[in-house]
Short mmCIF file of all heavy atoms in Angstrom, two decimals:
data_model
loop_
_atom_site.label_atom_id
_atom_site.label_comp_id
_atom_site.label_asym_id
_atom_site.label_seq_id
_atom_site.Cartn_x
_atom_site.Cartn_y
_atom_site.Cartn_z
N GLU A 22 -2.65 18.72 -21.00
CA GLU A 22 -2.85 17.59 -20.07
C GLU A 22 -3.26 16.33 -20.84
O GLU A 22 -4.17 16.32 -21.64
CB GLU A 22 -3.97 17.92 -19.11
CG GLU A 22 -3.68 19.27 -18.36
CD GLU A 22 -4.75 19.63 -17.41
OE1 GLU A 22 -5.84 19.03 -17.43
OE2 GLU A 22 -4.54 20.62 -16.63
N PHE A 56 0.47 17.79 -17.17
CA PHE A 56 -0.03 16.62 -16.48
C PHE A 56 -0.18 15.39 -17.38
O PHE A 56 -0.48 15.57 -18.54
CB PHE A 56 -1.41 16.95 -15.87
CG PHE A 56 -2.05 15.75 -15.19
CD1 PHE A 56 -1.69 15.37 -13.94
CD2 PHE A 56 -3.10 15.04 -15.86
CE1 PHE A 56 -2.29 14.22 -13.32
CE2 PHE A 56 -3.67 13.94 -15.23
CZ PHE A 56 -3.29 13.56 -13.97
N HIS A 63 -0.06 4.67 -20.98
CA HIS A 63 -0.50 3.57 -21.84
C HIS A 63 -0.53 3.98 -23.35
O HIS A 63 -0.11 3.17 -24.19
CB HIS A 63 -1.93 3.15 -21.40
CG HIS A 63 -2.27 1.78 -21.87
ND1 HIS A 63 -1.79 0.64 -21.24
CD2 HIS A 63 -3.04 1.36 -22.82
CE1 HIS A 63 -2.23 -0.44 -21.84
NE2 HIS A 63 -3.00 -0.08 -22.82
N ARG A 67 1.64 2.04 -26.13
CA ARG A 67 1.03 1.53 -27.35
C ARG A 67 1.71 2.08 -28.64
O ARG A 67 1.90 1.45 -29.57
CB ARG A 67 -0.43 1.89 -27.37
CG ARG A 67 -1.35 0.75 -26.79
CD ARG A 67 -2.74 0.74 -27.41
NE ARG A 67 -3.26 2.10 -27.59
CZ ARG A 67 -4.09 2.66 -26.81
NH1 ARG A 67 -4.61 1.99 -25.81
NH2 ARG A 67 -4.60 3.83 -27.03
N ARG A 87 7.12 15.84 -12.91
CA ARG A 87 5.86 15.24 -12.52
C ARG A 87 5.40 14.20 -13.56
O ARG A 87 4.74 13.20 -13.28
CB ARG A 87 4.80 16.39 -12.47
CG ARG A 87 3.56 16.05 -11.67
CD ARG A 87 2.81 17.29 -11.57
NE ARG A 87 1.44 16.98 -11.64
CZ ARG A 87 0.48 17.92 -11.93
NH1 ARG A 87 0.83 19.10 -12.22
NH2 ARG A 87 -0.75 17.54 -11.95
N ARG A 90 8.19 11.25 -13.69
CA ARG A 90 8.10 10.32 -12.55
C ARG A 90 7.29 9.07 -12.86
O ARG A 90 7.62 7.98 -12.44
CB ARG A 90 7.41 11.14 -11.41
CG ARG A 90 7.35 10.35 -10.07
CD ARG A 90 6.83 11.33 -9.04
NE ARG A 90 6.16 10.55 -8.04
CZ ARG A 90 4.83 10.23 -8.04
NH1 ARG A 90 4.05 10.74 -8.92
NH2 ARG A 90 4.31 9.53 -7.06
N LEU A 94 8.57 5.31 -12.21
CA LEU A 94 7.78 4.38 -11.29
C LEU A 94 7.49 3.04 -12.01
O LEU A 94 7.41 2.04 -11.38
CB LEU A 94 6.51 4.99 -10.86
CG LEU A 94 6.52 5.86 -9.65
CD1 LEU A 94 5.17 6.52 -9.42
CD2 LEU A 94 6.93 5.13 -8.42
N ARG A 100 13.12 0.96 -20.72
CA ARG A 100 12.60 0.26 -21.92
C ARG A 100 12.36 1.16 -23.12
O ARG A 100 12.38 0.76 -24.22
CB ARG A 100 11.29 -0.38 -21.61
CG ARG A 100 11.44 -1.45 -20.55
CD ARG A 100 10.12 -2.21 -20.42
NE ARG A 100 10.19 -3.21 -19.37
CZ ARG A 100 10.39 -4.47 -19.68
NH1 ARG A 100 10.57 -4.85 -20.91
NH2 ARG A 100 10.51 -5.35 -18.70
N GLN B 66 -3.59 -5.31 -24.61
CA GLN B 66 -2.53 -4.60 -23.82
C GLN B 66 -3.05 -3.83 -22.69
O GLN B 66 -2.62 -2.69 -22.42
CB GLN B 66 -1.79 -3.63 -24.78
CG GLN B 66 -0.67 -4.21 -25.47
CD GLN B 66 0.38 -3.17 -25.85
OE1 GLN B 66 0.13 -1.96 -25.77
NE2 GLN B 66 1.59 -3.62 -26.17
N SER B 68 -3.38 -2.56 -19.08
CA SER B 68 -2.35 -2.55 -18.09
C SER B 68 -2.93 -2.02 -16.77
O SER B 68 -4.00 -1.40 -16.72
CB SER B 68 -1.18 -1.64 -18.54
OG SER B 68 -1.60 -0.31 -18.74
N GLY B 111 8.89 -1.16 -9.90
CA GLY B 111 8.80 -2.33 -10.74
C GLY B 111 8.00 -2.03 -11.96
O GLY B 111 7.32 -1.01 -12.03
N PHE B 117 4.65 -6.22 -20.46
CA PHE B 117 5.92 -6.84 -20.85
C PHE B 117 6.05 -8.30 -20.39
O PHE B 117 5.74 -8.59 -19.20
CB PHE B 117 7.08 -6.02 -20.31
CG PHE B 117 7.07 -4.61 -20.64
CD1 PHE B 117 6.85 -3.59 -19.72
CD2 PHE B 117 7.26 -4.25 -22.02
CE1 PHE B 117 6.82 -2.29 -20.10
CE2 PHE B 117 7.30 -2.92 -22.37
CZ PHE B 117 7.05 -1.93 -21.40
N ASP B 119 8.91 -9.75 -19.99
CA ASP B 119 10.02 -9.84 -19.07
C ASP B 119 9.96 -8.76 -17.96
O ASP B 119 10.98 -8.13 -17.66
CB ASP B 119 11.32 -9.76 -19.84
CG ASP B 119 11.42 -8.40 -20.56
OD1 ASP B 119 10.31 -7.77 -20.81
OD2 ASP B 119 12.52 -8.01 -20.99
N GLU B 154 3.80 15.05 -3.55
CA GLU B 154 4.27 14.18 -2.48
C GLU B 154 4.63 14.99 -1.19
O GLU B 154 4.44 14.52 -0.07
CB GLU B 154 5.52 13.42 -2.97
CG GLU B 154 5.15 12.21 -3.79
CD GLU B 154 6.33 11.76 -4.65
OE1 GLU B 154 7.09 10.93 -4.14
OE2 GLU B 154 6.41 12.14 -5.79
N ARG B 189 -9.53 14.44 -10.53
CA ARG B 189 -9.04 14.03 -11.76
C ARG B 189 -9.04 12.52 -11.94
O ARG B 189 -9.33 12.02 -13.00
CB ARG B 189 -7.53 14.50 -11.86
CG ARG B 189 -7.14 14.78 -13.24
CD ARG B 189 -5.66 15.01 -13.13
NE ARG B 189 -5.26 16.39 -12.99
CZ ARG B 189 -5.21 17.22 -14.03
NH1 ARG B 189 -5.58 16.83 -15.20
NH2 ARG B 189 -4.81 18.44 -13.84
#
Side-chain angles (χ1 to χ4, degrees):
Chain A
E22 307 178 349
F56 175 78
H63 200 75
R67 268 210 316 261
R87 199 174 143 198
R90 186 172 151 268
L94 273 175
R100 296 187 181 263
Chain B
Q66 270 207 346
S68 63
F117 303 111
D119 60 340
E154 282 161 84
R189 206 191 266 281

